[in-house]
Amino acid sequence: MTAVRRFGDVLLEENQPCVMRDGITLYADIYRPDKPGRYPVLLMRQPYGKKIASTITYAHPLWYARQDYVVIIQDVRGRGVSEGEFEPFIREKEDGFDTVEWAAGLSCSDGQVGMYGFSYQGFTQWAAAAAAPPHLKAIIPAMCGADLYQGMFYPHGRLALAEHLPWAFQLARDTARRKGDEAAEAFCTLVRNKTPDELIFRMPVGDEHPILTSYFPEFYEWCSHTEYDGYWKERNLLPELTHSKVPALHLGGWYDCFVQGTLQSYETLRQIPGRYDRLMIGPWSHIPWGRHTGGVDHGPESDGNVHRLHIQWFDYWLKGKRETEWLAEPKITYFELGSRRWNKLEEGSPFQGAGDAACRYVLGGTGVPANGASGGGRLRPEGVSEPDDIVDVFVYDARLPMPLESYLPFDRRGVQDRYEILHYTSEIFEQPVSMFGSPKLRVQVQTVSGATDLVAILSEVGPDGSSRMLSIGRAEVHETDETEGWATIEMELLSLGVQIQPGSALRLELTGSAFPLFVRHPNGISSADIHKVGNKSLNIATVAVKSMPEMPSVLELPILCTGQ
């Protein structure tokens, strides 16, 4: 145990031991005010080295300590200097419970404990809340999901490869350092920071890499469980959390790789009587939470004042301060893309929208194939004109997948010129139109090449011709025989909150992949084998899309209001 020292006008105690119920000791750094008294605790439990303390997105613990909090940053089991073996996600409930109760009993603590942090540090909050330690009073889980399958690893029913393969090497790096393998540690750093592309394209997806096999074999567990099964059920905290009453401020970003997990957790828990949940979504990616994301300037208010937000939330629940009356605050606060303003909703669902307003667009054409951004595909408001009778075809070669790396709003117009994508574009909007919720697509599809994927991407086409992604969805298409005819595919796209500006249009893309945002379908095989096949199994799929008057293919948009 180290001595207390002063750092930045607060007191710092490094490597403070906390003994778990099985005898394993976890270590934490404690920052506290340099004055007499007992204070509420803010706890972060993380696997990346406690000195970092998530300062890539959060204020340093010193800042929180200067707001009269005791701040504890702990290395989770088997990470940093803590004892034990790291099994991601598995022991965080028990260890979270034990750490919260230990923190509440410290001589500098007044017994009130809150937790904060994002990504894995968000999950450790959900895990502790599921274990229900008596002294845990409030949490702010950010950029994470409590259901790991749908919320983090397979948000579109396919492994989120671009995020989790580099992350696996990041987690392997700490184990390699603990084992003294400097070469493996250096390679993991290179993969995480500089050169993941070669490994992302490596086939089979589940083919073992010697460094991951040695230092993070859990990646191959993630690959081997492609469907929601007992493995993922064990890692889904939502059923237990429905019995928890710990107030939660769900914090997410429209461009975050885990935004679906944030929205899913809020949507599930907001319906539980006696719970107190609030949702805030900003114009942020996973890292950083800044003003300029994906090449777009979201304006000076886009940071949402998140540092002060944390203090207001914890002051309310841990100190009893009522300057911000959270009980009277609207349940949802979100940054509306396009208008660059923060909106509030008292009621509503990030999946269903707010109210019952909706606008349906029918897929149509002009007699010219819909392939490529300059093609003849059109989105026409339902009921404005007679629906067209169209059949469009795209060919998806799994050896040359359609590229999409993230949810970031980078300009897609170069990719959209490819003829392997069908495009349906609306007329230019003459007034602003606000949307909040999940777009829904119903489309008639055929394939003659066995099972494949249908990927739908919704984007806003600006007056300058730029095309920035708003939402995405995916569904599997199975081959139909002559007697079955066309298959009706229904999918929900990723939730959005946006105002389409006058002079802009909407564009729907239909294609076969969004790689490496999620794993591509090799075509012609079962989804259960998708991570097992090599390059020889990358095939070509031919997919037809139909819309006809008696059974139109329709895009439904969650319209909130127009003309603002």
Side-chain angles (χ1 to χ4, degrees):
M1 185 178 300
T2 60
V4 179
R5 66 177 182 179
R6 286 176 174 81
F7 172 68
D9 295 331
V10 304
L11 300 180
L12 170 60
E13 300 172 84
E14 298 178 285
N15 296 321
Q16 298 303 295
C18 175
V19 180
M20 300 293 102
R21 64 189 67 183
D22 62 352
I24 292 293
T25 300
L26 309 186
Y27 290 93
D29 293 340
I30 301 176
Y31 303 79
R32 57 186 173 86
D34 186 10
K35 53 187 176 182
R38 299 172 63 177
Y39 303 94
V41 173
L42 300 184
L43 170 65
M44 177 188 293
R45 306 188 60 250
Q46 54 82 60
Y48 305 116
K50 53 187 168 51
K51 290 189 183 300
I52 295 175
S54 288
T55 49
I56 53 177
T57 53
Y58 290 88
H60 191 273
L62 182 149
W63 184 81
Y64 293 101
R66 287 176 59 84
Q67 316 301 314
D68 290 339
Y69 284 94
V70 175
V71 186
I72 300 176
I73 311 297
Q74 183 187 67
D75 287 328
V76 300
R77 180 182 295 250
R79 300 277 95 176
V81 297
S82 289
E83 297 176 353
E85 296 296 322
F86 179 58
E87 296 179 86
F89 309 109
I90 294 301
R91 294 300 300 265
E92 305 305 357
K93 282 191 294 187
E94 297 89 345
D95 290 354
F97 182 104
D98 294 348
T99 301
V100 166
E101 295 306 296
W102 164 78
L106 293 173
S107 61
C108 56
S109 168
D110 70 358
Q112 308 292 305
V113 180
M115 295 183 71
Y116 75 109
F118 85 122
S119 200
Y120 196 96
Q121 298 85 276
F123 183 87
T124 61
Q125 296 175 64
W126 286 128
H135 292 90
L136 182 60
K137 303 303 180 182
I139 59 176
I140 307 182
M143 309 282 188
C144 69
D147 173 358
L148 293 185
Y149 180 81
Q150 294 186 57
M152 295 178 72
F153 285 87
Y154 287 78
H156 300 283
R158 295 281 180 259
L159 178 66
L161 186 63
E163 174 60 30
H164 289 107
L165 181 60
W167 186 50
F169 278 96
Q170 180 181 0
L171 293 172
R173 179 176 61 187
D174 189 74
T175 306
R177 169 174 283 196
R178 289 165 72 96
K179 301 291 186 182
D181 191 336
E182 295 182 8
E185 181 185 356
F187 182 83
C188 291
T189 297
L190 186 66
V191 170
R192 183 62 174 131
N193 296 330
K194 296 291 184 182
T195 59
D197 287 356
E198 180 179 346
L199 292 170
I200 284 175
F201 275 89
R202 190 169 183 243
M203 299 279 295
V205 174
D207 189 22
E208 295 190 1
H209 188 283
I211 287 180
L212 291 185
T213 301
S214 298
Y215 298 126
F216 198 74
E218 287 85 356
F219 176 75
Y220 300 108
E221 294 180 8
W222 303 340
C223 289
S224 64
H225 296 273
T226 58
E227 304 292 332
Y228 184 82
D229 56 12
Y231 177 88
W232 294 113
K233 184 177 181 180
E234 183 183 5
R235 290 157 176 80
N236 182 2
L237 298 175
L238 284 177
E240 294 170 87
L241 287 167
T242 60
H243 303 289
S244 169
K245 303 303 182 185
V246 179
L249 173 56
H250 306 243
L251 194 62
W254 289 124
Y255 309 127
D256 176 39
C257 52
F258 301 144
V259 63
Q260 196 74 356
T262 298
L263 300 176
Q264 178 200 23
S265 298
Y266 172 77
E267 175 67 7
T268 300
L269 298 178
R270 76 179 181 92
Q271 303 176 64
I272 306 302
R275 279 198 56 90
Y276 185 88
D277 292 89
R278 290 295 184 266
L279 171 68
M280 182 177 183
I281 304 292
W284 312 313
S285 60
H286 201 59
I287 304 170
W289 305 354
R291 168 175 174 170
H292 301 92
T293 307
V296 175
D297 181 358
H298 295 290
E301 304 300 321
S302 58
D303 71 342
N305 204 8
V306 290
H307 302 310
R308 284 294 174 193
L309 179 75
H310 279 71
I311 294 300
Q312 291 167 358
W313 180 260
F314 290 125
D315 278 356
Y316 185 94
W317 294 107
L318 305 186
K319 294 182 179 181
K321 294 185 177 181
R322 297 297 187 254
E323 285 83 357
T324 301
E325 185 50 70
W326 282 102
L327 290 176
E329 281 286 299
K331 294 182 175 63
I332 297 174
T333 301
Y334 71 97
F335 189 88
E336 186 176 65
L337 306 176
S339 69
R340 303 198 309 177
R341 67 185 180 194
W342 289 95
N343 286 352
K344 293 181 181 293
L345 295 172
E346 175 55 35
E347 297 295 339
S349 159
F351 292 99
Q352 302 302 321
D356 56 4
C359 184
R360 292 158 58 89
Y361 281 82
V362 177
L363 277 60
T366 61
V368 177
N371 306 79
S374 58
R378 296 292 182 265
L379 285 176
R380 295 195 174 97
E382 186 180 52
V384 172
S385 61
E386 281 296 314
D388 297 324
D389 191 338
I390 62 165
V391 176
D392 290 308
V393 177
F394 70 85
V395 176
Y396 158 50
D397 186 344
R399 297 166 298 183
L400 191 65
M402 298 303 103
L404 183 63
E405 295 185 359
S406 70
Y407 298 141
L408 289 170
F410 291 121
D411 189 354
R412 289 184 54 76
R413 64 182 126 181
V415 174
Q416 289 176 347
D417 280 336
R418 291 178 61 163
Y419 276 25
E420 302 101 311
I421 308 174
L422 302 180
H423 296 83
Y424 300 90
T425 306
S426 74
E427 296 295 329
I428 292 174
F429 284 69
E430 296 181 355
Q431 61 180 346
V433 175
S434 291
M435 294 184 284
F436 177 81
S438 174
K440 296 172 177 58
L441 179 66
R442 187 186 73 238
V443 62
Q444 314 304 317
V445 182
Q446 273 188 346
T447 177
V448 294
S449 310
T452 187
D453 274 347
L454 180 70
V455 174
I457 299 174
L458 184 65
S459 59
E460 179 179 358
V461 183
D464 62 351
S466 62
S467 186
R468 301 188 184 276
M469 190 183 82
L470 299 173
S471 182
I472 184 172
R474 183 212 65 89
E476 189 166 35
V477 181
H478 297 279
E479 185 170 357
T480 57
D481 59 31
E482 293 182 5
T483 60
E484 293 175 305
W486 296 84
T488 300
I489 299 296
E490 295 184 349
M491 71 172 80
E492 289 193 4
L493 279 66
L494 187 68
S495 299
L496 51 75
V498 63
Q499 185 180 84
I500 305 302
Q501 298 301 299
S504 294
L506 287 175
R507 176 171 291 158
L508 176 69
E509 302 175 42
L510 297 179
T511 188
S513 65
F515 184 82
L517 178 65
F518 49 81
V519 167
R520 58 187 153 175
H521 201 304
N523 298 325
I525 69 166
S526 166
S527 288
D529 298 322
I530 201 168
H531 297 154
K532 301 176 184 178
V533 299
N535 287 292
K536 290 184 178 180
S537 296
L538 294 177
N539 298 310
I540 298 171
T542 304
V543 179
V545 172
K546 183 173 185 176
S547 187
M548 49 190 172
E550 61 271 26
M551 190 175 289
S553 291
V554 175
L555 172 69
E556 183 178 294
L557 300 174
I559 300 297
L560 186 64
C561 58
T562 62
Q564 292 186 351

